[in-house]
Amino acid sequence: MFVKRLEKLGVRYATISPGSRSTPLTLAFTNSKKIKTFQIVDERSAAFFALGMAKKTGYPTAVVVTSGTAVAEIYPAIIEAYYQRVPLIVCTADRPPELRNTGANQTINQDNIFRNHIRLFRDLGLPNVKYSGLSSVIKTADELFETSYYKDRGPVHVNFPFAKPFEPDSYTDEIDSSLISKLSAIKLPSPKPLKYNRTEFNGIVKSLKSSRRGLIILGYNNYDVKFIKAVTRLSKKLGFPIYADAASGYRFGSHNKEMIIENLTSLLHSKKFKEFFRPEIILQFGGTPTSNIVLHFYRDSAAKKILINQYGDRFDPSLTAKTILNMKPYDFCVKALKISSGSPDSRWLNKIIEFNNIAGEIKKSFFKKSKLSFEGLIPETVFENVKGECDVMISNSLPIRDSDFFASTRVNKITTHCNRGASGIDGITSTALGISAVSKLPALLITGDLAFFHDLNGLHSSMKFGIPLTVILINNNGGGIFESLPISRYKKICRENFITPLNLNFRKFVEAYGGKFLTANSKSKFIQHLNASVDSRRLTVIEVKTDAVESKKLRSKIWQNVAEKIDFLIDEAENRQRPY
């Protein structure tokens, strides 16, 4: 009854990990003709795989595991889903309640075990085949789906205690067909429109009207085409440039590019630019920006800061935003377009765009001279050369930061994905494979060697289900991001405890999982491998060995050159205006 209800509600995908206690759940899901199931042995990998499917489809995906420590294995993916508001319906099998704390095999206390990172928990208790018991199962399915999909979007957890027997040929009860018909007639829930604070909205619009200089920040999110068009129009009407985090995906596509300042992370290294920039108001959609220099600018800015997202989440580590409006971003843009009108400072805006273009040219000139061993060059090379529409999963740590630092705006229709909720490096490959499993587009993953190592088990899903994925493996033999942190001054301790070189031959692992392994030590060879692997529609890993120390120096050199050029231009403009 539970699985049939999920079918009616529109759930179409589920991952199942093997276990005896979950036998009734496994049978119910695999017998479904509408829900496609993926049997994945490693529970952690299965949960991240489900996360990827839910991220791509935007629809709740089910996760099925047995009792005991199997339940704990899926926690990392639930945490990520919680902070990124990805809809998962987590179904855990359990022993009967009376066996808790008795030493019974594979029995732990699963009662609301994910309580700190779940949107709703329900325990169904042992099966009750009366109308009251079965109707309660259906209503619970409705409640879980509603919460996960729209009421409080994110992961939900339902615990299923089962006593033996589990198999259909060992049944203990019979149910009359008229009862099943009666249960099937229970109406499906219908979503109610979300309300927002009109007074607060009107106050924000009033502030927009009186502000001549503003900034729109797009943090991580899977923005749809409607919002992208609406926020582009709002940006032009207000005269506010858009800083689009690489994780937002807004830098890629055919929408208006003239308002994007994708080089803000470079410009903020200029003291003169920060003095000139000074927006009066900042509108932030989506999650927390990736770059620390943007976060520091946000914290120190005297601008009025407004967070706008559907559930009123505080994506503001600085705690300086005074207004959080729980409203759908698209609805906000559309309503604000109808009302707001002001007098933007066009001279200021044009200067910002000019500075952004100058920073972009400096970046390009560096890239032309750089070798592929420079980590910052790799994401930009991927975005520049990948053909057609595609999904690109970007790993945490350096890949997402280098994408944010250096990715230029492109007309390529690239949909970016990332796990920026908790920003861990676990489950990255499995998430990418989950995305690819339900996507009609080619899928790519840009990842580092530590993240790849953390999820080698995930490659098995590519082999088992024939899921294609092109993996760009940036191998600096350890945690290269620590070269950019103060701990790098303590060489021996940093090398042994933070960077932790793996010294692994990844070729053997990839080939063991049926994948193709390629290496590239030049830009031309890399582009050749990239295009061939995307066309091949199979698991292909392209390894690029990089130098973390040298990459750190080159990043700093780019930022230094941008800062010196912008400082010079602003000084020159100020000198021209001084009376003699």
Side-chain angles (χ1 to χ4, degrees):
M1 297 308 299
F2 182 82
V3 172
K4 286 287 183 185
R5 194 62 172 185
L6 293 187
E7 285 180 356
K8 285 186 176 181
L9 290 163
V11 173
R12 291 295 175 262
Y13 299 101
T15 60
I16 298 175
S17 295
S20 175
R21 191 62 49 165
S22 54
T23 297
L25 284 168
T26 299
L27 290 169
F29 274 100
T30 54
N31 284 333
S32 169
K33 293 180 180 178
K34 293 185 178 179
I35 298 177
K36 184 176 181 179
T37 58
F38 294 84
Q39 293 71 29
I40 300 174
V41 174
D42 184 332
E43 287 89 359
R44 186 177 74 160
S45 178
F48 275 107
F49 189 94
L51 179 84
M53 291 193 289
K55 284 165 76 74
K56 178 61 184 175
T57 63
Y59 222 71
T61 297
V63 179
V64 177
V65 296
T66 194
S67 64
T69 55
V71 177
E73 291 290 340
I74 64 176
Y75 204 170
I78 289 170
I79 292 171
E80 181 60 36
Y82 179 82
Y83 286 113
Q84 266 204 310
R85 288 197 175 272
V86 178
L88 294 179
I89 299 175
V90 178
C91 308
T92 59
D94 199 358
R95 305 284 166 134
E98 65 270 16
L99 293 182
R100 289 177 190 158
N101 304 314
T102 65
N105 187 40
Q106 283 191 303
T107 305
I108 65 173
N109 186 355
Q110 296 175 201
D111 183 52
N112 206 5
I113 190 172
F114 311 120
R115 62 174 56 82
N116 290 327
H117 302 97
I118 209 77
R119 299 295 172 187
L120 182 69
F121 168 73
R122 290 290 180 262
D123 190 304
L124 285 177
L126 288 169
N128 173 354
V129 297
K130 294 180 180 179
Y131 178 82
S132 59
L134 292 175
S135 63
S136 176
V137 169
I138 291 173
K139 289 172 184 175
T140 299
D142 289 347
E143 187 183 18
L144 290 161
F145 179 87
E146 285 181 295
T147 300
S148 180
Y149 189 40
Y150 54 85
K151 277 189 175 178
D152 194 12
R153 191 174 175 86
V156 294
H157 174 205
V158 54
N159 197 51
F160 289 85
F162 292 115
K164 292 181 179 180
F166 307 137
E167 297 75 18
D169 60 356
S170 305
Y171 62 88
T172 59
D173 294 81
E174 291 185 353
I175 300 172
D176 190 88
S177 59
S178 62
L179 177 59
I180 294 175
S181 299
K182 188 178 177 183
L183 290 163
S184 300
I186 296 175
K187 289 184 178 180
L188 290 167
S190 56
K192 295 178 182 177
L194 293 170
K195 296 180 180 179
Y196 65 94
N197 189 319
R198 293 180 182 274
T199 302
E200 203 164 55
F201 171 79
N202 292 334
I204 293 169
V205 170
K206 187 177 179 181
S207 296
L208 292 176
K209 287 180 178 179
S210 61
S211 300
R212 300 192 67 215
R213 300 179 176 186
L215 172 67
I216 296 174
I217 292 178
L218 298 183
Y220 68 79
N221 207 328
N222 287 334
Y223 300 110
D224 59 22
V225 175
K226 288 198 317 179
F227 169 74
I228 287 171
K229 289 180 178 179
V231 77
T232 302
R233 288 171 56 210
L234 184 64
S235 167
K236 292 185 74 174
K237 185 169 184 177
L238 295 173
F240 293 179
I242 295 175
Y243 167 65
D245 192 294
S248 73
Y250 184 83
R251 298 186 197 181
F252 312 107
S254 57
H255 48 274
N256 194 298
K257 301 294 181 188
E258 64 189 56
M259 301 299 285
I260 300 177
I261 46 171
E262 77 272 22
N263 297 306
L264 182 62
T265 52
S266 296
L267 293 171
L268 289 174
H269 285 84
S270 162
K271 184 178 178 182
K272 293 283 184 180
F273 176 81
K274 285 191 283 189
E275 292 172 354
F276 173 78
F277 190 33
R278 291 185 180 176
E280 299 162 348
I281 189 168
I282 298 175
L283 298 179
Q284 180 186 328
F285 300 97
T288 306
T290 299
S291 169
N292 275 336
I293 198 167
V294 173
L295 292 174
H296 292 159
F297 158 76
Y298 187 95
R299 176 196 65 199
D300 298 335
S301 173
K304 182 174 183 178
K305 300 157 192 171
I306 299 164
L307 308 179
I308 302 158
N309 57 76
Q310 187 170 341
Y311 300 100
D313 293 328
R314 177 177 280 284
F315 294 117
D316 169 29
S318 72
L319 304 178
T320 57
K322 303 301 182 187
T323 304
I324 305 176
L325 180 65
N326 58 321
M327 186 176 183
K328 287 184 178 179
Y330 170 75
D331 291 346
F332 175 87
C333 292
V334 169
K335 291 182 185 298
L337 275 166
K338 293 177 181 177
I339 301 170
S340 61
S341 61
S343 53
D345 187 339
S346 56
R347 178 183 170 277
W348 173 82
L349 174 62
N350 291 336
K351 272 294 175 189
I352 298 298
I353 294 171
E354 179 189 336
F355 292 151
N356 179 68
N357 293 336
I358 290 168
E361 290 303 317
I362 292 171
K363 176 181 69 180
K364 286 178 185 176
S365 67
F366 260 87
F367 282 172
K368 284 180 181 178
K369 297 179 287 184
S370 298
K371 296 179 180 178
L372 200 61
S373 57
F374 171 40
E375 292 158 350
L377 179 64
I378 296 171
E380 171 68 348
T381 304
V382 172
F383 300 137
E384 182 181 18
N385 291 282
V386 69
K387 297 175 182 177
E389 295 183 56
C390 63
D391 287 292
V392 179
M393 175 76 184
I394 309 172
S395 176
N396 288 314
S397 199
L398 278 174
I400 188 61
R401 285 174 171 80
D402 278 334
S403 297
D404 192 49
F405 294 152
F406 302 124
S408 303
T409 55
R410 300 281 173 206
V411 295
N412 314 40
K413 291 183 180 179
I414 298 169
T415 302
T416 57
H417 306 270
C418 59
N419 285 350
R420 293 304 291 169
S423 301
I425 61 169
D426 47 349
I428 297 294
T429 302
S430 293
T431 305
L433 285 165
I435 290 166
S436 182
V438 295
S439 177
K440 296 178 181 178
L441 306 175
L444 293 87
L445 166 63
I446 304 174
T447 191
D449 55 307
L450 285 188
F452 192 64
F453 170 72
H454 262 274
D455 197 16
L456 283 173
N457 282 356
L459 295 175
H460 186 259
S461 294
S462 175
M463 180 178 76
K464 182 175 182 179
F465 303 111
I467 302 170
L469 182 68
T470 296
V471 180
I472 313 303
L473 174 57
I474 303 170
N475 189 351
N476 55 28
N477 199 25
I481 193 168
F482 293 105
E483 292 288 357
S484 303
L485 300 178
I487 193 64
S488 63
R489 297 196 299 268
Y490 304 86
K491 299 296 183 186
K492 187 173 185 297
I493 291 174
C494 185
R495 190 73 181 164
E496 293 177 356
N497 298 282
F498 293 88
I499 295 177
T500 55
L502 296 173
N503 299 314
L504 284 175
N505 180 353
F506 285 110
R507 177 186 296 275
K508 294 181 179 180
F509 291 100
V510 173
E511 291 178 348
Y513 285 113
K516 186 176 183 180
F517 190 88
L518 303 168
T519 59
N521 53 17
S522 69
K523 189 175 178 181
S524 59
K525 179 63 72 174
F526 178 71
I527 294 169
Q528 179 186 336
H529 285 337
L530 177 68
N531 291 328
S533 64
V534 171
D535 291 340
S536 73
R537 301 290 285 166
R538 61 174 291 189
L539 172 65
T540 306
V541 176
I542 305 171
E543 181 187 57
V544 181
K545 291 193 174 180
T546 61
D547 187 327
V549 176
E550 190 62 27
S551 293
K552 176 188 174 183
K553 292 178 182 176
L554 285 172
R555 288 186 196 95
S556 298
K557 190 66 176 173
I558 292 173
W559 293 330
Q560 181 186 342
N561 281 23
V562 170
E564 288 174 355
K565 180 68 174 180
I566 300 302
D567 286 348
F568 170 77
L569 291 172
I570 292 176
D571 278 339
E572 188 179 51
E574 288 176 348
N575 289 333
R576 283 200 303 267
Q577 293 173 12
R578 283 179 192 155
Y580 292 95

